[in-house]
Amino acid sequence: MAQEDRVRWDQRYETAVLEAMPGPITPPSKFGDHVDLFPTTGFALELACGSGGTSVWLALRGLKVHGVDISGTAIGLAKKLAAENAVSSSCRFDVVDLDRGLPEGPQADLVVCHLFRDVRLYPQMVQRLTPGGLLAVAVLSEVDAKPGPFRAMAGELTDAFGHLEILEAGEGDGHAWILARGIETA
Ligand SMILES: C[S@@+](CC[C@H](N)C(=O)[O-])C[C@H]1O[C@@H](n2cnc3c(N)ncnc32)[C@H](O)[C@@H]1O
């Protein structure tokens, strides 16, 4: 499955190069109204970072960033975007198959996962957060949309992350999202 995903996403990003590069450097679109909650220092891990628009935005904001994605094409674009914006020294991008879990790395002040869903990763995302660190997750949802294999059921994110300090959460129009702070664990 992961190999099929890799080929499919590589093809999409190759088309994107022709149509729309360089990509936009933006906060994750589902969190555009809550940009002030995102840190300006520390270390961020971005899962399924795609062509790097969010990671580079975070680096320009002042963070050190590790972005990972299964698509080598996307990772190549992300590295190029970082170089074009003079933040290569703040960014590391790697091809990683998240079907195998999160990559090794330090605790993160920010874990972002935007429009990629793998429920098996939810506990690992929480473990990777520093106490007080920000978790930002947005997924496709069945709420206001037809059920589908990649979509979260109603309440999935609040069920998975409700033990954190929830700052914002919502569902609707086929999406679900949550912003939550890591808590001290014993
Ligand atoms: C809808 S895109 C979202 C990209 C980016 N986060 C954004 O919001 O623009 C989904 C991303 O998940 C990546 N992806 C799919 N399966 C993956 C896997 N098993 N491991 C890592 N990344 C994966 C794809 O390459 C693609 O970049």
Side-chain angles (χ1 to χ4, degrees):
M1 185 60 187
Q3 179 58 20
E4 281 173 31
D5 284 348
R6 188 189 309 272
V7 170
R8 186 165 55 90
W9 281 104
D10 276 348
Q11 286 170 347
R12 281 207 201 178
Y13 284 111
E14 278 154 21
T15 310
V17 179
L18 297 175
E19 288 178 357
M21 290 308 292
I25 298 170
T26 57
S29 59
K30 286 291 154 198
F31 301 118
D33 292 341
H34 305 293
V35 166
D36 291 350
L37 294 174
F38 282 71
T40 53
T41 59
F43 172 69
L45 174 63
E46 187 181 9
L47 306 175
C49 65
S51 50
T54 291
S55 285
V56 169
W57 174 74
L58 291 168
L60 288 167
R61 202 172 159 79
L63 288 128
K64 297 277 183 195
V65 185
H66 187 193
V68 300
D69 198 282
I70 198 170
S71 166
T73 304
I75 290 299
L77 292 170
K79 286 179 179 173
K80 187 162 176 274
L81 195 63
E84 284 168 357
N85 287 278
V87 288
S88 294
S89 60
S90 299
C91 294
R92 172 181 167 187
F93 291 108
D94 289 313
V95 175
V96 168
D97 178 5
L98 290 166
D99 282 2
R100 299 180 180 179
L102 262 55
E104 295 286 320
Q107 296 293 106
D109 304 291
L110 170 66
V111 175
V112 187
C113 187
H114 190 254
L115 302 185
F116 172 76
R117 173 174 171 267
D118 184 338
V119 298
R120 298 169 301 178
L121 299 179
Y122 291 168
Q124 296 175 46
M125 292 181 199
V126 171
Q127 283 165 12
R128 189 58 63 88
L129 266 188
T130 56
L134 184 71
L135 178 75
V137 178
V139 293
L140 294 177
S141 158
E142 293 184 358
V143 177
D144 300 334
K146 286 183 184 163
F150 303 114
R151 291 183 181 271
M153 288 186 295
E156 178 176 295
L157 296 184
T158 45
D159 286 351
F161 302 118
H163 59 298
L164 304 182
E165 180 195 349
I166 296 181
L167 305 177
E168 300 284 344
E171 287 180 319
D173 293 332
H175 290 87
W177 61 94
I178 193 164
L179 286 164
R181 287 212 184 284
I183 52 171
E184 200 82 50
T185 51

